[in-house]
Amino acid sequence: MGSDYYETLEINRNATDAVIKKAYRRLALKFHPIRNRESGSSETFTELGEAYDVLSDPRKKATYDKFGEEGLKGGIPPEFGSSGAWSSKYVYHGNPDKTFKEFFGGDNPFADFFTNDTPLQFGGLQPGVVKTQDPQIERDIHLSLDDLFHGCTKKIKISRRVMNEDGYTSSIKDKILTIDVKPGWREGTKIIFPKEGDQGPNSIPADIVFIVRQKSHPLFARENNDLIYKAQITLQMALTGLSVDVQTLDGRLISIPINDIVDPSYNKVVTGEGMPLAKDPSQRGNLIITFDIQFPKKLSTERKHLIKQALAF
């Protein structure tokens, strides 16, 4: 009489793949020769390996369900068969340890159940045994100066490995992480999503950390909470005065009169026209205007004379 693989694994014939895995895990741990030295445990362990090897493979399982062990091991009868894998004869490799290791992974499947040579109960971890968390996963998030001035919402799709319902297998799934960017955030600000990394049976998922990187802006540079604006002016303007028009990040056009003589080290500070403060967006840094003075490349003799007269004290 042939083997009943379902009976061996103590499951019904309509068992799902997850149920098959769960049953094999429970019984293989129970009857493994390392854990069970009773008479007959080795034979049972081998039977469990063969049963799982068949029922975990969709084609082997389909052949077994339709033709039984005789059809599986003897080949599908000619009137039903066709060329290829469906008509081949199944032979178990006879190494239940190989099946066991392939299921649990690694060369030492019992590594997860021993700590400092102390055996743990298979029903759960003993008190005092703590899973270690995977290292942080850091990713840059590039934001424009406008994003950091006004604040915005960014949605980022990540792909990560998550454990299936059986608790032993995993699959890759996508997830959307939402970042609410606050006005005034600076370069280097970190946004942490705890335990959103890959899941595993023997570790705590890593934290995912996004680090703010500020994109360059065509008009402004940023220093902490201040905005730096460089105005190009002529030597005449530098000496006689001017007005600088600046289009702000919030869409206003402000005009700043410059009545001082502008030398190469001169800066004009406009209070409260910089970046919002992250801790209090109602407060703002300053706008600092620097100047790039454009000197004439050459002067005629007459103009040199006029300039000497004008600058004579």
Side-chain angles (χ1 to χ4, degrees):
M1 184 177 180
S3 301
D4 188 329
Y5 295 136
Y6 291 99
E7 183 177 333
T8 299
L9 292 177
E10 300 179 1
I11 55 178
N12 297 324
R13 297 186 69 86
N14 60 352
T16 63
D17 184 63
V19 172
I20 293 170
K21 287 181 170 64
K22 186 174 182 179
Y24 174 73
R25 176 184 172 88
R26 177 178 62 83
L27 293 171
L29 291 173
K30 178 180 179 180
F31 288 101
H32 195 287
I34 292 178
R35 299 289 301 173
N36 192 327
R37 300 186 181 280
E38 295 180 4
S39 176
S41 63
S42 294
E43 182 180 347
T44 301
F45 183 65
T46 301
E47 293 173 354
L48 290 168
E50 181 176 338
Y52 177 73
D53 187 62
V54 172
L55 297 184
S56 63
D57 184 291
R59 288 199 169 188
K60 295 175 189 173
K61 182 177 181 297
T63 303
Y64 175 74
D65 287 345
K66 188 169 185 178
F67 301 104
E69 185 183 14
E70 182 179 355
L72 178 70
K73 294 183 176 180
I76 300 175
E79 61 270 23
F80 298 102
S82 61
S83 60
W86 281 96
S87 61
S88 62
K89 298 179 180 180
Y90 167 72
V91 177
Y92 183 53
H93 51 65
N95 186 351
D97 273 327
K98 177 182 177 182
T99 304
F100 187 82
K101 290 178 180 179
E102 287 175 350
F103 180 86
F104 285 95
D107 293 329
N108 182 10
F110 284 96
D112 295 336
F113 304 100
F114 289 82
T115 302
N116 296 327
D117 297 326
T118 302
L120 305 178
Q121 298 297 321
F122 289 110
L125 295 174
Q126 292 288 345
V129 178
V130 180
K131 292 182 178 181
T132 58
Q133 186 174 21
D134 294 335
Q136 283 188 344
I137 300 171
E138 295 187 349
R139 296 287 184 269
D140 291 340
I141 175 172
H142 296 272
L143 300 173
S144 68
L145 193 57
D146 293 271
D147 290 336
L148 296 171
F149 182 89
H150 296 285
C152 62
T153 298
K154 297 290 184 180
K155 294 184 180 296
I156 301 175
K157 183 171 75 171
I158 63 170
S159 296
R160 61 175 189 154
R161 186 172 295 280
V162 298
M163 298 302 296
N164 296 327
E165 292 183 0
D166 59 17
Y168 317 120
T169 60
S170 61
S171 55
I172 301 296
K173 292 187 178 180
D174 293 336
K175 183 174 183 178
I176 301 296
L177 300 180
T178 301
I179 298 177
D180 292 319
V181 178
K182 304 300 182 184
W185 274 6
R186 298 186 186 183
E187 172 98 5
T189 298
K190 293 185 176 182
I191 308 98
I192 301 175
F193 290 88
K195 302 178 182 178
E196 289 291 357
D198 289 341
Q199 298 177 358
N202 307 308
S203 63
I204 300 172
D207 295 341
I208 295 182
V209 181
F210 290 96
I211 303 174
V212 171
R213 302 300 179 197
Q214 181 182 298
K215 299 177 183 177
S216 61
H217 191 274
L219 297 180
F220 300 105
R222 181 182 181 180
E223 290 184 4
N224 297 322
N225 295 315
D226 295 333
L227 291 174
I228 314 299
Y229 179 85
K230 180 178 285 189
Q232 291 189 341
I233 62 173
T234 65
L235 179 58
Q236 176 189 334
M237 292 176 178
L239 296 175
T240 61
L242 70 150
S243 181
V244 178
D245 293 333
V246 179
Q247 185 79 37
T248 64
L249 291 173
D250 55 2
R252 294 175 294 119
L253 181 64
I254 58 176
S255 184
I256 301 98
I258 309 295
N259 299 314
D260 301 321
I261 292 176
V262 178
D263 62 48
S265 63
Y266 178 86
N267 292 330
K268 178 68 174 180
V269 178
V270 184
T271 304
E273 290 291 350
M275 292 293 291
L277 275 60
K279 293 183 178 180
D280 183 5
S282 65
Q283 302 294 317
R284 289 171 60 172
N286 299 324
L287 171 64
I288 301 174
I289 302 176
T290 63
F291 296 89
D292 181 12
I293 304 172
Q294 305 294 307
F295 285 78
K297 296 186 181 297
K298 60 181 180 178
L299 291 170
S300 66
T301 302
E302 181 182 358
R303 288 190 174 184
K304 287 180 181 180
H305 178 70
L306 291 173
I307 290 173
K308 287 180 181 180
Q309 287 184 323
L311 297 178
F313 293 100

